[in-house]
């Protein structure tokens, strides 16, 4: 029982290696969906398993055992081992909850501050130009009462040629149209739930940038121009983006040389990578272990309640 519930806590350490291979070998939009889904599934498995592992400790408290109608102690394995694991699970769950709440509030404050920076400024078709000599551009996600915007500084517009500006705007429109901020936010949340999943966040960000790059190259019909735009925007950008939430995609987010190299290739990679299949298997094993382990604990509770005969 305990071993099954520990498996989903260990498997996330294998995801970063697989994620790097997936990003390099499949289409960026496929990589974006796959990496984000795998991170979210593994994170949910981690939280669920920590909650189930905490149950033996909670039901060892007489008051809670009475509320659960236990007529005998819950048998989840060797008592000492179960209690140690249960205590550690409780500590991990508490630390994770604190981290999620604290960082989520911080990101929401940054999002609100970013919207206040552009509030009242004129816009055209969702494009907002800020009079700032420092080159910068980003897709600002919409809030509860505000729509998403493309924010570009006058410094960035002056740093690019007309053709490169078209690529830049098409890139940021792709971010908003694809709701890439939701993928980034989900990846961030997963990373807060397990340290190994935090290593996947930057790969999800890279996949989002690559997807937007490909969309911009398709919209302008010139992959070389798109590569030049990405490179020139990166060389020009000097603005510190600390005020923005981490899930707001920027024009020069991610490893720019790798993005430029991919754009200069004839076409994006299309083949299905074995790493992608391995990632699907990884999430399947984690989910299956969590379900079987939870069912086993539930059966143990029913036995302790006298509803089922012990084996």
């Amino acid at each position: 029982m305990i071993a099954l519930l520990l498996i989903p806590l260990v498997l996330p350490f294998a995801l970063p290696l697989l994620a790097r291979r997936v990003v390099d070998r499949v289409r960026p939009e496929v990589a974006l969906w796959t990496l984000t889904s795998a991170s979210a599934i593994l994170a949910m498995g981690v939280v669920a398993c920590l909650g189930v592992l905490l149950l033996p400790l909670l039901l060892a408290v007489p008051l809670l055992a009475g509320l659960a109608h236990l007529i005998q102690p819950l048998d989840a394995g060797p008592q000492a081992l179960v209690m140690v694991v249960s205590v550690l699970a409780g500590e991990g769950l508490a630390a994770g909850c604190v981290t999620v709440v604290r960082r989520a509030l911080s990101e929401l404050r940054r999002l609100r501050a970013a919207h206040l920076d552009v509030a009242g400024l004129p816009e055209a078709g969702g494009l907002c130009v800020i009079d700032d000599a420092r080159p910068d551009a980003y897709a600002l996600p919409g809030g509860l009462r505000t729509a998403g915007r493309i924010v570009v500084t006058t410094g960035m517009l002056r740093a690019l040629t007309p053709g490169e500006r078209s690529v830049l705007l098409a890139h940021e429109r792709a971010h908003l149209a694809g709701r890439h901020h939701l993928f980034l936010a989900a990846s961030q949340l997963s990373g807060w739930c397990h340290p190994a999943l935090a290593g996947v966040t930057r790969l999800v960000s890279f996949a989002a940038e690559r997807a937007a790059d490909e969309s911009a190259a398709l919209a302008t019909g010139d992959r070389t121009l798109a590569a030049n735009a990405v490179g020139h925007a990166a060389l020009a950008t000097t603005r510190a983006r600390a005020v923005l939430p981490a899930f707001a995609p920027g024009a020069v987010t991610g490893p720019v040389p790798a993005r430029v190299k991919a754009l200069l290739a004839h076409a994006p990679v299309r083949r299905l990578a074995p790493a992608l299949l391995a990632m699907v298997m990884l999430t399947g094993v984690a989910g299956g272990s969590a379900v079987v382990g939870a069912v086993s604990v539930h059966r143990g509770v029913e036995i302790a309640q006298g509803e089922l005969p012990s084996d």
Side-chain angles (χ1 to χ4, degrees):
M1 181 190 305
I2 296 296
L4 285 173
L5 292 171
L6 292 178
I7 290 175
L9 304 182
V10 176
L11 287 180
F13 288 101
L15 186 61
L17 177 60
L18 292 175
R20 282 191 289 270
R21 295 182 179 276
V22 168
V23 165
D24 292 338
R25 289 169 171 78
V26 303
R27 292 182 62 88
E29 61 272 20
V30 175
L32 181 60
W33 275 97
T34 305
L35 267 59
T36 306
S37 300
S39 293
I41 291 172
L42 289 176
M44 287 187 289
V46 167
V47 174
C49 287
L50 288 177
V52 175
L53 287 171
L54 179 60
L55 194 58
L57 177 63
L58 296 178
L59 293 180
V61 179
L63 177 60
L64 297 178
L67 293 176
H69 306 292
L70 300 190
I71 61 176
Q72 61 187 33
L74 174 64
D75 182 14
Q79 187 68 12
L81 175 61
V82 169
M83 287 299 107
V84 170
V85 171
S86 193
V87 169
L88 293 176
E91 292 177 350
L93 194 59
C97 289
V98 171
T99 298
V100 168
V101 171
R102 179 171 56 84
R103 294 189 179 181
L105 290 176
S106 175
E107 291 295 286
L108 290 176
R109 283 195 295 268
R110 290 186 179 188
L111 179 61
R112 183 173 181 273
H115 276 287
L116 289 176
D117 284 344
V118 299
L121 294 180
E123 64 172 275
L127 172 63
C128 181
V129 178
I130 298 179
D131 186 11
D132 191 332
R134 295 171 296 183
D136 196 15
Y138 52 89
L140 182 60
L144 294 177
R145 299 180 180 179
T146 54
R149 292 183 178 184
I150 298 171
V151 182
V152 183
T153 64
T154 53
M156 179 63 82
L157 294 178
R158 285 193 292 266
L160 303 179
T161 66
E164 290 171 346
R165 293 174 200 158
S166 298
V167 171
L168 176 71
L169 296 181
H171 176 98
E172 302 303 343
R173 289 194 191 97
H175 278 315
L176 291 179
R179 298 183 178 273
H180 291 168
H181 60 282
L182 297 180
F183 292 89
L184 298 176
S187 176
Q188 268 192 309
L189 181 59
S190 300
W192 298 337
C193 294
H194 194 288
L197 298 178
V200 184
T201 302
R202 64 180 181 83
L203 297 173
V204 171
S205 177
F206 177 62
E209 293 304 321
R210 284 285 300 115
D213 288 343
E214 292 297 334
S215 180
L218 182 62
T220 57
D222 191 335
R223 299 182 66 84
T224 301
L225 176 63
N228 290 337
V230 171
H232 290 165
L235 291 174
T237 300
T238 57
R239 183 183 179 93
R241 304 180 68 245
V243 69
L244 294 175
F247 55 82
V252 293
T253 304
V256 172
R259 290 171 54 194
V260 172
K261 180 180 178 180
L263 282 168
L264 291 177
H266 293 295
V269 179
R270 295 177 180 273
R271 64 179 180 273
L272 186 65
L276 185 60
L277 298 177
M279 185 177 296
V280 173
M281 293 177 61
L282 179 73
T283 55
V285 171
S289 298
V291 170
V292 174
V295 170
S296 179
V297 171
H298 181 265
R299 176 179 173 81
V301 172
E302 290 184 321
I303 292 174
Q305 291 172 335
E307 297 180 3
L308 289 177
S310 59
D311 295 333

